[in-house]
Amino acid sequence: MVFHQWLDRIGDWNPQLFRELKGRLSKKALGLVAIASFFTQGIFYLSLRIALPSAGISTTNHYCIGRAPADFDPNSHLIHSQNFCVADATGNLNLNWPLWWTDLFITLSMVGFFVALLGGVYLLIQDLGKEQKAGTLNFVKLSPQSAQAIAIGKILGVPSLIYVGLALVFPLHFWAGLRGGIPLPLILLFYGVITASYGFFYSGAALYSLVNPTQPALKAWLATGGLFYLMMGSTTFLLQENSHVGNLMDGVNLFNPLHMLVYLGQASAAAEQLLTFNYDSLADVSFFGFIFGRMGRSPL
């Protein structure tokens, strides 16, 4: 009952959005999305839990905090490692939990971004192409709704199930960022940048779908594949500590919101121990000589 009242209010504000939501937010679809979301979260959470060391089994581990014991072989290449698994008086290992939570935050960020980006672009192009080919989009244009209202209804309604999946991931993702020591303003800024990125790419997908609407399925696959190639290439450069490569990829990186993970990682409580996104900081970002990470100007 409450759900239908909520839909009716949306219909008063944007009839196109009401039409999209009513056709997609069925109980079966919502149940499947919830199962897929919780299952995916469980997979990544457990995979990182498995990576944690066990007392009495592991000597060194990326998540351990400790120096080599006094009786350790001085000729070993691990002698200077800071990741020895040392138990406390109660037998529990000293673990770097902020690092573990930050790794979970980064993992969920990357997976969620690609799923929502590629899935939303594909659905929008295919849906608009089908409607234009079938002629139903012309009836929508003849309605008293403005073109802006129709576009907003499509962008918010067609990928609505993806939004539901992201909403179910949000609590764990947000909690992981806080436990990793990432400042709350930066987490909120990251969500804002991601949202703006979705709006940009979804708007581009909608425009692309209206150009020569023949073979919407093929166009959807081509656009999604090309976007995946560009974003994956950009993310690969970011992961390999090459955020500025001096070629066309620098331009592609401007449209990749995952670049912000560099700054979030550096702001976390485990910035020095991160294996990815640990090569840059806000101190390296400047605008006309003003360096944002320092309250001053560069020597140049």
Side-chain angles (χ1 to χ4, degrees):
M1 187 67 179
V2 176
F3 178 72
H4 291 292
Q5 292 177 352
W6 176 70
L7 278 181
D8 290 337
R9 292 182 181 178
I10 290 179
D12 295 336
W13 171 68
N14 191 311
Q16 180 61 39
L17 178 58
F18 171 79
R19 173 174 171 257
E20 300 295 338
L21 294 179
K22 190 174 181 181
R24 286 175 169 80
L25 298 184
S26 63
K27 292 183 179 180
K28 180 180 180 181
L30 290 174
L32 291 175
V33 168
I35 292 173
S37 178
F38 290 130
F39 178 77
T40 304
Q41 293 179 65
I43 289 295
F44 288 110
Y45 181 86
L46 292 177
S47 64
L48 284 175
R49 291 289 297 190
I50 293 174
L52 292 174
S54 300
I57 298 178
S58 302
T59 303
T60 61
N61 187 278
H62 178 55
Y63 296 111
C64 283
I65 305 175
R67 296 178 178 273
D71 57 348
F72 193 76
D73 184 5
N75 297 320
S76 174
H77 67 283
L78 298 175
I79 189 64
H80 299 294
S81 174
Q82 303 293 321
N83 300 119
F84 274 86
C85 299
V86 180
D88 56 19
T90 61
N92 297 319
L93 295 177
N94 295 318
L95 300 178
N96 191 344
W97 284 109
L99 175 61
W100 188 88
W101 284 108
T102 302
D103 283 345
L104 180 61
F105 177 87
I106 291 176
T107 301
L108 293 177
S109 298
M110 295 178 63
V111 174
F113 170 71
F114 275 98
V115 169
L117 176 67
L118 301 177
V121 166
Y122 177 84
L123 291 175
L124 278 167
I125 295 176
Q126 187 182 48
D127 179 82
L128 285 169
K130 282 184 176 180
E131 286 213 23
Q132 190 167 12
K133 188 177 181 180
T136 55
L137 192 60
N138 294 326
F139 290 102
V140 176
K141 293 177 182 177
L142 294 175
S143 66
Q145 302 179 78
S146 65
Q148 182 181 5
I150 295 174
I152 292 176
K154 283 292 184 182
I155 292 175
L156 294 180
V158 173
S160 55
L161 289 175
I162 294 178
Y163 299 150
V164 172
L166 291 179
L168 295 176
V169 176
F170 171 77
L172 177 60
H173 184 260
F174 184 71
W175 181 247
L178 293 179
R179 292 295 302 271
I182 302 175
L184 177 61
L186 279 183
I187 296 177
L188 298 179
L189 178 61
F190 176 69
Y191 290 148
V193 171
I194 287 287
T195 302
S197 175
Y198 290 155
F200 173 79
F201 285 110
Y202 288 176
S203 299
L207 291 174
Y208 171 73
S209 66
L210 298 177
V211 179
N212 189 14
T214 58
Q215 297 181 325
L218 178 60
K219 288 180 64 177
W221 280 112
L222 289 176
T224 305
L227 187 60
F228 172 78
Y229 176 79
L230 289 175
M231 288 295 103
M232 183 57 71
S234 171
T235 304
T236 301
F237 277 109
L238 296 176
L239 290 173
Q240 292 179 350
E241 304 187 8
N242 292 310
S243 59
H244 312 293
V245 293
N247 56 34
L248 183 62
M249 287 306 300
D250 280 342
V252 177
N253 287 341
L254 291 175
F255 298 94
N256 190 345
L258 294 181
H259 201 159
M260 267 208 69
L261 291 177
V262 175
Y263 310 124
L264 269 67
Q266 284 300 303
S268 70
E272 299 297 328
Q273 292 79 33
L274 283 176
L275 296 179
T276 56
F277 300 109
N278 62 347
Y279 53 89
D280 206 350
S281 70
L282 289 173
D284 299 317
V285 180
S286 63
F287 182 75
F288 288 100
F290 178 78
I291 303 177
F292 288 93
R294 307 168 190 166
M295 296 306 293
R297 295 182 177 273
S298 67
L300 296 178

